[in-house]
Amino acid sequence: MTSSTASVALPETSVSRFPLGALLLLSLGVFVTVTAESLPAGLMPEMARDLGVDPLRIGLLVSVWAIVVIATSIPLTRATRRIDRRIVVAVSLAVFAVANVATAFAPTYEFAFATRAVAAVAHGVFWAIVIVYASSLLSGAQLGRGLALVTGGGTAATVLGLPVATALAQLTSWRVSFAVMGIGMLLLAAVVYRRLPRSVVEPVAAAHREPLRHDRSLPPLIAFGIAGLMIGLAQFLSFVYIRPYLAESAGIADGWASALLFVFGAAGMAGVAVAGSLADRFPRTALTATLLVFVAAFAALAVAPHATVVVVVALALWGAGTGAMFPLIQTALMRAASDRLRDLASASIVVLFNVGIAGGSWAGGQLTATYGPTANMAVSAVVVLLAAGLTAVGAGLAARRNA
């Protein structure tokens, strides 16, 4: 593969006004797709009963999602690279919408499985391109704040979207939740197509093309990518087993677990709120510093599980770090990547993070079964510390290349 190694510096003056309306639409797209991604987890009993299967088979609808995203995101991103990004976002939302409506009318589990796989393909393309598209609407000085707004839709989906969708299903039917999500996505796809500006990758003249191996943004992107995989691994190694940790290690009653998870989610929204300004003000150090907060939180949970105050504060720090981390790593990637690698970098971090999710969920189960859930926190602390070191290396390489 060959292409240009054009400078990655984002324009400082080409975007005079902050494109709030466009970014809110993209954030809403993130909100509905992440909510829909998690729906089977929130609606597991209702779906299992209606489709006549064991609840564990409903859990597979979440697992197959990650597998499909891993397998299809990069090839489809490369295949659509020359197409107007606005169209790619709108079409992926429309396909996602149709798949969700089809799930709502699924007569059998197998049909639901197939429609979820289709939705996962659309989800992978959407997530791979939405960050790059948002970046094209922003100047360099606006990048951190803008991407924090867009990715904040994912945190809002966890805190607000999934609970509301679950409540709607309990009041009506799980099928109503899927149908409402699908109709909402279809309307959003139409608005995105009609209202958002074009964004097309300009082809590079053959005379200016150089081998990909000469692209100086590759080393920092590799460092950030491996860090992303490790972050996903550490996060899901512990978060999937947070309820056993609270019950067995911390001795916290089930009645308080929901309140503590709300603290986690609320802190995540606070993390999103500050991530943009941190990314723009401290572009080299914000991500690494945030990961060190993760390390402190995981270490506290591992060392002092019986100190309730420590557990509450650590959960809040963990939640805040979770909210801030994804916009920070996406901003770092967009600043580090050359023009020709920006799409690939965005798709790759989605794939690598999902690989980390799959590996962390499995490894966490093994650790919990063997050593108890406190061990998960200790291992997560070590893994995130290694990831923090990689992000520091990546930031240094990116700064040297742009010097």
Side-chain angles (χ1 to χ4, degrees):
M1 174 180 175
T2 59
S3 186
S4 166
T5 57
S7 171
V8 303
L10 294 164
E12 297 297 334
T13 58
S14 62
V15 182
S16 58
R17 296 180 58 188
F18 189 71
L20 180 61
L23 297 178
L24 285 174
L25 283 175
L26 295 177
S27 184
L28 184 57
V30 170
F31 174 82
V32 295
T33 56
V34 172
T35 300
E37 174 187 8
S38 306
L39 271 182
L43 308 180
M44 187 176 291
E46 293 85 358
M47 292 184 70
R49 186 166 52 250
D50 191 16
L51 294 173
V53 297
D54 187 277
L56 293 178
R57 295 190 69 189
I58 301 299
L60 288 176
L61 298 180
V62 178
S63 301
V64 72
W65 190 284
I67 294 169
V68 171
V69 168
I70 291 168
T72 62
S73 292
I74 292 177
L76 289 177
T77 299
R78 288 170 61 87
T80 58
R81 188 169 185 267
R82 300 299 181 190
I83 302 173
D84 180 0
R85 288 163 177 156
R86 171 194 54 135
I87 294 176
V88 176
V89 168
V91 170
S92 62
L93 283 172
V95 172
F96 205 132
V98 172
N100 272 271
V101 172
T103 302
F105 290 95
T108 64
Y109 171 80
E110 290 74 18
F111 188 93
F113 190 96
T115 58
R116 288 291 291 177
V118 172
V121 172
H123 178 83
V125 174
F126 173 82
W127 260 102
I129 207 68
V130 70
I131 298 299
V132 184
Y133 182 37
S135 299
S136 73
L137 307 177
L138 297 161
S139 71
Q142 299 169 341
L143 190 63
R145 190 159 47 109
L147 294 188
L149 177 58
V150 172
T151 57
T155 304
T158 302
V159 176
L160 181 63
L162 185 57
V164 170
T166 302
L168 177 62
Q170 291 171 345
L171 289 172
T172 56
S173 163
W174 69 268
R175 297 179 184 274
V176 172
S177 288
F178 272 96
V180 168
M181 292 297 300
I183 293 169
M185 287 179 207
L186 197 57
L187 293 173
L188 180 61
V191 174
V192 165
Y193 181 75
R194 293 289 300 271
R195 303 286 296 179
L196 294 192
R198 286 170 50 84
S199 175
V200 180
V201 177
E202 296 295 334
V204 179
H208 298 290
R209 293 177 182 172
E210 295 181 3
L212 178 62
R213 65 181 180 275
H214 293 167
D215 193 313
R216 295 178 62 197
S217 69
L218 269 178
L221 292 180
I222 291 172
F224 286 130
I226 297 174
L229 186 153
M230 296 176 76
I231 293 166
L233 177 72
Q235 178 79 342
F236 281 79
L237 188 125
S238 291
F239 186 72
V240 172
Y241 303 95
I242 187 62
R243 290 296 295 271
Y245 172 85
L246 293 175
E248 299 171 21
S249 301
I252 293 173
D254 286 345
W256 286 100
S258 296
L260 289 178
L261 291 177
F262 177 80
V263 169
F264 181 94
M269 292 301 295
V272 171
V274 302
S277 59
L278 288 175
D280 289 334
R281 190 172 181 182
F282 308 105
R284 285 192 60 177
T285 58
L287 176 58
T288 302
T290 298
L291 292 180
L292 292 178
V293 171
F294 263 94
V295 174
F298 283 131
L301 292 169
V303 172
H306 300 298
T308 303
V309 173
V310 173
V311 170
V312 173
V313 172
L315 281 175
L317 289 175
W318 181 9
T322 299
M325 178 274 301
F326 203 73
L328 287 174
I329 198 168
Q330 287 284 11
T331 302
L333 283 170
M334 293 301 100
R335 285 196 167 118
S338 62
D339 290 339
R340 64 171 174 172
L341 287 181
R342 202 162 282 137
D343 289 7
L344 183 59
S346 184
S348 296
I349 198 66
V350 172
V351 169
L352 289 168
F353 199 77
N354 274 277
V355 171
I357 289 172
S361 300
W362 176 83
Q366 305 304 306
L367 274 173
T368 296
T370 306
Y371 302 105
T374 305
N376 297 38
M377 302 297 175
V379 174
S380 290
V382 174
V383 174
V384 175
L385 184 60
L386 295 174
L390 281 171
T391 61
V393 170
L397 291 171
R400 285 175 55 191
R401 189 183 59 79
N402 291 325

